[in-house]
Amino acid sequence: MDTIASLFSFITTPVSWVIVQFHSMYGKIFGPDTGWAWGLSIVSLVILIRICLIPLFVKQIKSTRAMQTLQPEMKKIQERYKNDKQRQSEEMMKLYKETGTNPLSSCLPILAQSPFFFALYHVLNGIATGSTIGVINESLLASARKAHIFGAPLAAKFTDSAAKVDALGATLTDVRVVTAIMIVLMSASQFYTQRQLMTKNVDTTVKTPFMQQQKMLMYVFPVMFAVFGINFPVGVLVYWLTTNVWTMGQQMYVIHNNPTPGSKAQAAYLERLTKHVTTHGKARKRSERTIIKAIVAKGRDRNEFERKFINGLTKAGLAAQTDGAVVKSEGAVAVESEDGTPTTGTAAPKRQQPKRQTKSQRQSGAKSAESASSDSASGSATSLSKSDEPQDAEPQDAKPAPAAKKAQPGSGTRSKAQSGQRKGPQRPKSPSKK
């Protein structure tokens, strides 16, 4: 650790200068030799660094969400070129270039603050060994060695011997109790930060190996902090615990106000936004208008939570605009919500369904249809019988035609039809002249 810290010695002087400036301010309040003055100086250093890293944190959030969106495409590339690693890497880089994403962006805040972390470790290690470093002179070094946080010196470690702890004016029990509590808090804060990211702010509709990796890191990182924490001085533990608490609070704020689409956090946020917008009749904050604008722009690609939000506005007689504003829609009527309370909404015209008939009505209708069909059949038969009568009168000198046998149904008529004779009554033949 000392070798790594020496690599960042170029930033030791700026870090030590910042600590000294904060110490001079807090020393006037709590006393220059107290642990509160030195401890709060380290906490203030963390806050200052994390404020400067906020733009990188925003970039990290965007990169993480972009990587989550690309997971299905990345999986397809891996399956398509599973036997060609070089082509797989080329297609991955092409995908990153087309979408404008960078896998390393999610590590930027950690990479950016690591020089400050090792520089602080270098400064505190110099205090423990009694050597001046950076802008910390002999008087400040003596003051820092007297500072204790809950009975543990700033430069003491969990693994220090009793003789070394006695030289710093403390007991080994106090040092180990304080460092153990701080290591547990540091690991717990890291675990909770990763857990709320996995349980609340992950798109539940996409199941990818990336989620399994994040779940594994949720358990690996706290163990790593616990293992390395026993070799950190108390001042470094204060630094790392403060930065973990800052990260946890910063992430809670982002999840609450700008959650990942498709996550449980988005469902809770849109539910709150629906109540807020329907109560005031408009989106009052700029961040709310930005989210509404993004939802409207998605169109048919909205997820179930976003569709539910749009439907909730419609029921309340409101309409989301493309610029993120919310206005009252035309044709607002009173409707009832699920709990029975009247609200204002737009009612779509209902489709008219045919009135259902009773059994007696259906039977009477069937009888009337049968009678109508029988009447029409009799009428047609009458008209046919009239039309079958011969219109030309027979001559008087003609011999009467032999009486035709009554046609039996299905016999005579069919036989005539089969013999090729014309159907229907025919004109009698004229008598042959002898």
Side-chain angles (χ1 to χ4, degrees), residues 57-305:
F57 180 75
V58 174
K59 191 173 183 179
Q60 178 193 17
I61 293 174
K62 294 181 179 179
S63 177
T64 303
R65 292 184 181 178
M67 290 297 295
Q68 290 176 353
T69 306
L70 291 178
Q71 288 303 311
E73 297 296 329
M74 294 170 62
K75 189 175 181 180
K76 292 179 182 178
I77 293 175
Q78 291 174 355
E79 293 177 353
R80 186 180 303 170
Y81 305 105
K82 59 183 178 181
N83 297 326
D84 190 353
K85 298 298 181 181
Q86 183 178 358
R87 181 65 184 278
Q88 187 180 118
S89 301
E90 292 175 357
E91 292 296 327
M92 288 288 189
M93 296 302 297
K94 183 179 178 181
L95 180 63
Y96 294 149
K97 186 176 181 180
E98 290 175 353
T99 56
T101 56
N102 187 359
L104 297 178
S105 298
S106 58
C107 304
L108 285 178
I110 296 177
L111 295 176
Q113 69 174 331
S114 58
F116 300 96
F117 169 78
F118 288 113
L120 178 62
Y121 180 88
H122 197 45
V123 171
L124 294 176
N125 191 53
I127 293 174
T129 57
S131 58
T132 59
I133 187 169
V135 299
I136 297 179
N137 51 27
E138 293 290 341
S139 60
L140 290 173
L141 180 63
S143 175
R145 291 176 66 86
K146 294 177 183 177
H148 292 68
I149 297 177
F150 301 109
L154 286 177
K157 304 176 186 177
F158 184 88
T159 56
D160 284 345
S161 62
K164 189 174 182 178
V165 173
D166 290 338
L168 295 173
T171 63
L172 185 61
T173 302
D174 291 340
V175 171
R176 290 190 173 178
V177 169
V178 172
T179 53
I181 292 174
M182 295 182 73
I183 289 172
V184 170
L185 292 176
M186 184 176 64
S187 301
S189 60
Q190 177 67 31
F191 176 78
Y192 181 79
T193 301
Q194 194 70 18
R195 186 177 183 275
Q196 73 172 350
L197 179 65
M198 291 299 301
T199 57
K200 296 182 179 180
N201 205 39
V202 174
D203 188 355
T204 56
T205 60
V206 180
K207 304 294 182 181
T208 60
F210 179 76
M211 295 177 62
Q212 298 297 329
Q213 295 173 5
Q214 293 294 318
K215 188 175 182 179
M216 182 180 65
L217 294 176
M218 180 174 65
Y219 297 99
V220 171
F221 275 159
V223 175
M224 292 176 59
F225 275 101
V227 171
F228 291 118
I230 60 177
N231 295 313
F232 290 162
V234 173
V236 175
L237 291 178
V238 171
Y239 174 92
W240 207 249
L241 177 60
T242 305
T243 192
N244 279 2
V245 173
W246 177 280
T247 302
M248 182 175 63
Q250 188 172 247
Q251 188 166 271
M252 289 176 65
Y253 176 82
V254 172
I255 291 174
H256 187 269
N257 294 281
N258 191 15
T260 301
S263 63
K264 294 180 180 179
Q266 190 197 30
Y269 175 80
L270 292 179
E271 186 177 354
R272 295 192 305 269
L273 182 60
T274 303
K275 293 180 180 179
H276 176 77
V277 172
T278 53
T279 301
H280 298 89
K282 60 180 180 180
R284 305 175 71 179
K285 298 180 180 179
R286 183 179 179 182
S287 59
E288 295 175 349
R289 292 193 295 269
T290 302
I291 291 178
I292 294 174
K293 180 180 179 180
I295 293 174
V296 173
K298 287 185 178 181
R300 295 183 178 181
D301 295 333
R302 303 186 189 109
N303 56 49
E304 57 176 326
F305 307 129

Side-chain angles (χ1 to χ4, degrees), residues 384-385 387-391 404-405 407 412-428:
L384 286 173
S385 61
S387 61
D388 290 342
E389 293 180 356
Q391 296 179 1
K405 295 182 180 180
T413 307
R414 182 178 299 176
S415 61
K416 291 180 180 180
Q418 291 175 355
S419 61
Q421 296 181 2
R422 237 169 102 183
K423 294 182 180 179
Q426 300 180 0
R427 292 173 62 91

